[in-house]
Amino acid sequence: MDLETLLSFKWSIMAPEFIILGVATALSLLDLFMPKSQNRKILGWIGLAGILAAIVSLFSLIGQGSESILFDTFRLDSFAKAFKLLLLIGAAFVFLIATAYEPKEGFNEYRGEFYYLFLAALLGAMMMSSSGDLITLFVGLELLSISSYILAGMRKTNIQSNESAMKYVINGGISTAITLFGMSYVYGLTGTTNLLNMARHLVTLSDPQHIYLIGLAFFMILVGLSFKLATAPFHMWAPDVYQGAPIPVTAFLSVVSKTAGFIILVRIMMVIFYNTASEGPGSMPFLLKVQDYIAFLAAATMIIGNLIALRQRNIKRLFAYSSIAQAGYLLVVIATMSIFMFDTLWFYLGAYLFMNLGAFAIIQLITQKAGSEDISVFAGLYRKAPILAVAMAVFILSLAGIPGTAGFIGKLNIFMGALAVEPAHYVLVSIMIATTVVSYFYYFGVMVQMFFRPTADSVKIKMPVGLSVTIGVCVFATILFGVAPNIAFDFLQGNFNQFSDFFQ
């Protein structure tokens, strides 16, 4: 590629990625040359400023139409913009949580590494949301994954952290191999790595053996990505990794990484497989043919996640199984494939971002002070810090899907989408309602500790600035989008063309 061709590309559409890349590079150099005795928290505030600058640059791109550069390997369509916004907002909150993270051992000496590795993971997730090609999609996935493996084991002197990183690497390596194997089949059948060109080629498939291979590729990719999403039965790594990783990393994995997982799943499934014929040209689209398999995966994930969470005493493990259950609810959206699919996914992931990151900010504050992660450390929180207890109650009620919260509106949208299609998914909706009721038992178990159990001490809890901002904004957003969800939907439909350019 000559210089003239390179200069002809509209590089401005990659401005958010360039900002994150530049800040990550700057932080790595600053960390290298700063004296070892100097506190690395300043790097966190620089990184946060970089993320906010990326959000501003993304807003400047929202009014523009769909564009692509680098021979359609990088696409800036409505889908990419909408989900990048979630990734960047989630990343900003994780940075705020991380600046207040002060474990007793094994993190402060590596704090600088945490910040730029986290930005590298964020860059990978952003690349995935804009990928129009399997190669850039895979590079983004691996940038996110490899950074996450290192982040999970950041507390190098902590045995649990080492164990979590080891399990994560092994499971992640296997899932990557399976995903790549499935992708190679699609590439072999189409002779291209461009997603839209693949879709155009697969519509014309008529040979039964080729269609069989496409089915095999679909299941390989679905299984590989299910590891990344921590959906049952590929969820076994999640509780151990969530428990062993530093709390800011756990928060990142539960929200930013999960959002990125659904981004890549939708990009691949909807572009490549949606119009692929299941039995030759003119037959039912392949993705509609395999709806029942995705629905089964969603049902198993909701049931297993919620039932096993009932037995958890460690708050991080409880939230790990809660996160698995939430992935099941989101899979219902993909299984039903209603016309509201993108809107419902975006809103629910946004609601989950606020309620989960707010909860993790409080979990970090309480467990750090108590030196334990048992649910009992929340005992009597209402007497010690009533505002914190009420904030945690808001997040738990939202996660449980109680009316008046963003979580309720998110679940309601999923129900409506599942019942609006023909034929309606009554069984899947019934399982979702039943498992949501089951979730009340373990969510309200935390509430019982906070409001109805005696406290061991009455020492007041001091709130760092980063956690105060995170908790305050998350409570406000959780209630606002629960009471007035149209604010989010009007913003989405007014700025992102209802994702009409996704397949173009």
Side-chain angles (χ1 to χ4, degrees):
M1 191 188 301
D2 58 21
L3 184 62
E4 191 179 342
T5 310
L6 273 174
L7 293 172
S8 68
F9 293 132
K10 191 176 180 181
W11 294 105
S12 60
I13 68 171
M14 289 185 75
E17 282 80 4
F18 284 134
I19 290 169
I20 297 298
L21 177 61
V23 173
T25 307
L27 290 188
S28 63
L29 292 172
L30 284 170
D31 185 47
L32 182 65
F33 292 111
M34 277 171 72
K36 287 196 175 179
S37 57
Q38 192 167 342
N39 195 319
R40 289 326 197 239
K41 280 190 181 180
I42 183 66
L43 300 181
W45 295 110
I46 295 170
L48 178 62
I51 292 171
L52 294 176
I55 292 173
V56 171
S57 72
L58 182 64
F59 270 105
S60 71
L61 295 169
I62 283 176
Q64 299 180 20
S66 176
E67 294 181 88
S68 67
I69 58 171
L70 298 171
F71 307 106
D72 210 27
T73 57
F74 185 93
R75 290 173 53 79
L76 191 71
D77 51 18
S78 297
F79 178 86
K81 293 173 200 169
F83 283 88
K84 270 185 205 175
L85 187 60
L86 292 185
L87 292 170
L88 286 166
I89 292 171
F93 284 129
V94 173
F95 255 73
L96 284 170
I97 293 170
T99 53
Y101 185 57
E102 295 284 357
K104 289 183 170 61
E105 39 72 43
F107 183 78
N108 278 333
E109 58 268 41
Y110 307 112
R111 190 182 285 276
E113 289 179 30
F114 169 84
Y115 294 130
Y116 56 78
L117 280 169
F118 176 80
L119 287 176
L122 173 64
L123 180 62
M126 291 170 70
M127 288 298 296
M128 281 158 55
S129 65
S130 277
S131 289
D133 192 278
L134 276 187
I135 294 172
T136 47
L137 205 61
F138 186 72
V139 169
L141 177 65
E142 284 309 280
L143 185 56
L144 170 67
S145 299
I146 293 168
S147 302
S148 301
Y149 304 153
I150 304 167
L151 288 169
M154 189 59 78
R155 293 166 64 191
K156 297 180 186 179
T157 57
N158 184 289
I159 293 172
Q160 273 193 343
S161 190
N162 294 341
E163 181 190 343
S164 75
M166 186 70 177
K167 287 180 176 174
Y168 199 11
V169 168
I170 293 168
N171 278 286
I174 293 167
S175 70
T176 297
I178 294 170
T179 307
L180 197 56
F181 192 59
M183 287 177 176
S184 70
Y185 270 44
V186 186
Y187 170 68
L189 285 167
T190 59
T192 178
T193 55
N194 183 278
L195 297 179
L196 291 174
N197 289 341
M198 280 181 166
R200 292 184 193 108
H201 190 94
L202 292 173
V203 172
T204 63
L205 278 190
S206 56
D207 189 324
Q209 289 184 322
H210 289 174
I211 292 167
Y212 172 77
L213 287 175
I214 279 295
L216 198 59
F218 170 82
F219 284 109
M220 297 289 273
I221 293 170
L222 182 63
V223 167
L225 295 178
S226 292
F227 273 100
K228 303 286 182 193
L229 297 169
T231 57
F234 315 105
H235 66 283
M236 297 305 289
W237 61 272
D240 293 330
V241 173
Y242 278 45
Q243 184 180 351
I247 290 180
V249 178
T250 307
F252 161 73
L253 292 175
S254 73
V255 174
V256 180
S257 186
K258 194 171 289 290
T259 301
F262 277 99
I263 286 169
I264 187 172
L265 186 69
V266 172
R267 271 280 181 211
I268 291 179
M269 297 302 170
M270 296 306 294
V271 176
I272 298 179
F273 296 107
Y274 186 72
N275 289 317
T276 302
S278 56
E279 292 169 5
S283 62
M284 181 192 289
F286 182 83
L287 211 50
L288 295 178
K289 190 97 171 177
V290 296
Q291 263 183 313
D292 290 345
Y293 298 102
I294 303 173
F296 176 79
L297 205 63
T301 305
M302 291 186 288
I303 293 166
I304 291 170
N306 283 307
L307 288 180
I308 301 180
L310 292 170
R311 303 294 299 164
Q312 302 306 313
R313 291 290 305 171
N314 183 292
I315 190 72
K316 283 165 78 177
R317 287 186 79 85
L318 186 147
F319 268 76
Y321 283 107
S322 159
S323 178
I324 291 163
Q326 302 288 341
Y329 303 147
L330 287 161
L331 271 183
V332 172
V333 183
I334 293 172
T336 54
M337 279 178 277
S338 72
I339 56 169
F340 315 114
M341 187 178 90
F342 291 126
D343 301 45
T344 306
L345 259 183
W346 184 85
F347 184 87
Y348 197 88
L349 283 166
Y352 181 62
L353 183 158
F354 289 115
M355 57 197 180
N356 221 43
L357 288 179
F360 270 112
I362 296 173
I363 289 168
Q364 176 175 300
L365 192 64
I366 305 302
T367 56
Q368 218 170 260
K369 184 177 178 297
S372 167
E373 292 173 357
D374 193 86
I375 290 176
S376 60
V377 299
F378 285 88
L381 182 62
Y382 183 68
R383 291 176 183 83
K384 286 190 291 187
I387 294 172
L388 264 187
V390 170
M392 189 67 173
V394 169
F395 300 135
I396 287 172
L397 291 173
S398 186
L399 284 162
I402 301 299
T405 62
F408 169 74
I409 300 296
K411 282 193 173 73
L412 185 65
N413 286 333
I414 296 174
F415 289 145
M416 300 294 283
L419 296 174
V421 293
E422 191 63 46
H425 294 257
Y426 294 113
V427 175
L428 204 52
V429 168
S430 303
I431 292 170
M432 188 173 174
I433 292 170
T435 52
T436 299
V437 171
V438 169
S439 75
Y440 294 167
F441 288 90
Y442 62 83
Y443 284 134
F444 293 166
V446 181
M447 302 255 296
V448 167
Q449 292 287 343
M450 292 193 299
F451 293 98
F452 303 111
R453 293 285 181 268
T455 179
D457 64 77
S458 56
V459 180
K460 295 292 180 185
I461 297 169
K462 289 183 181 177
M463 289 273 287
V465 177
L467 294 187
S468 302
V469 172
T470 302
I471 294 164
V473 174
C474 288
V475 167
F476 176 75
T478 301
I479 295 171
L480 177 68
F481 296 132
V483 176
N486 282 346
I487 294 172
F489 286 116
D490 290 346
F491 170 76
L492 187 68
Q493 289 163 9
N495 293 290
F496 301 113
N497 312 318
Q498 293 183 292
F499 304 103
S500 56
D501 52 358
F502 183 79
F503 297 103
Q504 294 168 8

